[in-house]
Every structure is written in C-alpha cells, then in structure tokens.
Amino acid sequence: LHIRHDSVIENVLTDSRRLVFPASTLFFAINGPRRKGTDFIKELYAHQVRNFVVDEHVEYNLINEYKDANFLFVKDVLLALQQLAIHHRNIHQATVIGITGSNGKTIVKEWLYQLLHRAYDIVRSPKSYNSQIGVPLSVLQMSTQNNLAIFEAGISLPNEMEKLQPIINPEIGVLTFMGEAHAEGFVSQQQKINEKLRLFSNSKILIYCAE
C-alpha cells in the first residue's frame, strides 16, 4: 500500500480503452494473454488516472516514476477485483437472479429485464459480461436504488464457478440450455453441468428444464 493523497473512487477499470472519469477511477492492472496490466499505467497516468492496483511483485520504481499516484500492491490483482465485488454484493439488499448454462444466458437475461423493468429498479450484466473479470465488473454496478439484479456467469474450465458463486450468490437461479458449447474444458457433460450448478449452492429457487 502506497498512498500519496486521498481519492474518492467511483469507477473501476480493467480496460484502458474504456476510461471515462479518470479522477475517480481505480485501475486494476490485470495481466492479459499478450500484455501485462502495468503496460497501460503510463497511458492512463497521462490521462490523469492516479489510482492503481498492481501485483506485489511489480518493481517499486513505479512509485518514483509516478510521483503523485496511489498504488495498492496485492498478491493477485484479479482476485482483489473479485473480493471487492464480493464485498459490494454483500452490502446491497437487492434480490439477485443468477443465470448460467451453455447457451442463452444473455438472451434470457435481456428477456427478464424487458419483462420486469417497469416493476423493479434493475441492474444487470452489460452485454455478455459473464467471465472472471466480467462478473465482478457487473456486480460492482449495484447501487442502493436497485431492488433486483440479474447477472450471468459463464465458465469453460472446472473450478471457475467456485470463484464466481460468492460474487453473484443468487437467491434465484436460472439454468438455461445445456449443450456442447465450451465442453472441451470438461471431461464429461455431467461434470460441466455439476460445475455450473455450483452457482446455485445458496439459491432458494432454481428454474431449469426438467430434461
């Protein structure tokens, strides 16, 4: 932790191309398949971003290079984002609907929104934000005004849902069509179904096709 000044954080960023409000943004420097998250700090700093979450193994010369920036050094940047989302989820009272399945997650989410938005103040996953990064970004949109949240979760490997479940932790679960999509990461169709069902471990209601 290296704090040089107080900041009010209102926006979380993982993609430098989506910067809108630099002064109130906290950038999580998550490594991608081709580039390190810290590669974007220079660009964001030039655009007035001053708050960064970085891996604890990053060279501390960042502190000297960006003299008026705040840095949070963590063991795992993605995990830090997910833990922040879990905390955010737990302090809000909205009823949460969680959706997963091989196909149809986004369509079902949008159908539910169209059916319910006149009766509820709804927050929902943007587009198809259902990945290890997309889910926490979706949940971090929750506000005190919302009384219903609809989030989708997608996985392609075992144990991924274990990380997403506490972030969404839905009271109501919806399991959509279970086809062969993303099957290559699992040893069997049954394993894939069992992994997806982890999302509903605390759900009071589960809606699914009996077949």
Side-chain angles (χ1 to χ4, degrees), residues 162-181:
E162 184 177 353
K163 298 176 182 178
L164 300 183
Q165 192 285 326
I167 302 174
I168 300 177
N169 197 22
E171 287 91 353
I172 301 172
V174 179
L175 182 66
T176 66
F177 176 72
M178 288 301 301
E180 296 303 319

Side-chain angles (χ1 to χ4, degrees), residues 13-125:
L13 184 70
T14 61
D15 185 340
S16 63
R17 297 168 295 183
R18 298 183 181 276
L19 177 64
V20 179
F21 303 107
S24 59
T25 289
L26 176 64
F27 177 68
F28 283 76
I30 298 172
N31 294 333
R34 297 180 183 86
R35 298 187 66 178
K36 295 180 179 179
T38 51
D39 291 344
F40 301 97
I41 290 179
K42 183 176 181 179
E43 171 193 348
L44 290 168
Y45 185 86
H47 286 89
Q48 305 305 313
V49 176
R50 292 295 182 269
N51 300 286
F52 303 93
V53 180
V54 298
D55 188 279
E56 65 182 1
H57 297 107
V58 169
E59 293 295 331
Y60 274 77
N61 58 18
L62 282 173
I63 294 174
N64 296 323
E65 188 174 353
Y66 304 105
K67 296 187 180 299
D68 61 337
N70 296 326
F71 288 95
L72 296 168
F73 291 89
V74 298
K75 291 182 178 180
D76 185 322
V77 179
L78 175 57
L79 181 60
L81 174 66
Q82 293 172 338
Q83 289 176 334
L84 176 63
I86 292 171
H87 172 73
H88 192 76
R89 161 68 176 94
N90 289 338
I91 64 175
H92 287 85
Q93 301 301 314
T95 297
V96 177
I97 300 174
I99 305 172
T100 194
S102 299
N103 305 95
K105 296 182 290 296
T106 302
I107 293 174
V108 170
K109 178 198 67 186
E110 294 301 324
W111 280 348
L112 286 172
Y113 175 78
Q114 292 300 324
L115 290 167
L116 299 171
H117 77 277
R118 289 184 176 87
Y120 297 91
D121 189 311
I122 300 175
V123 59
R124 69 195 194 278
S125 305

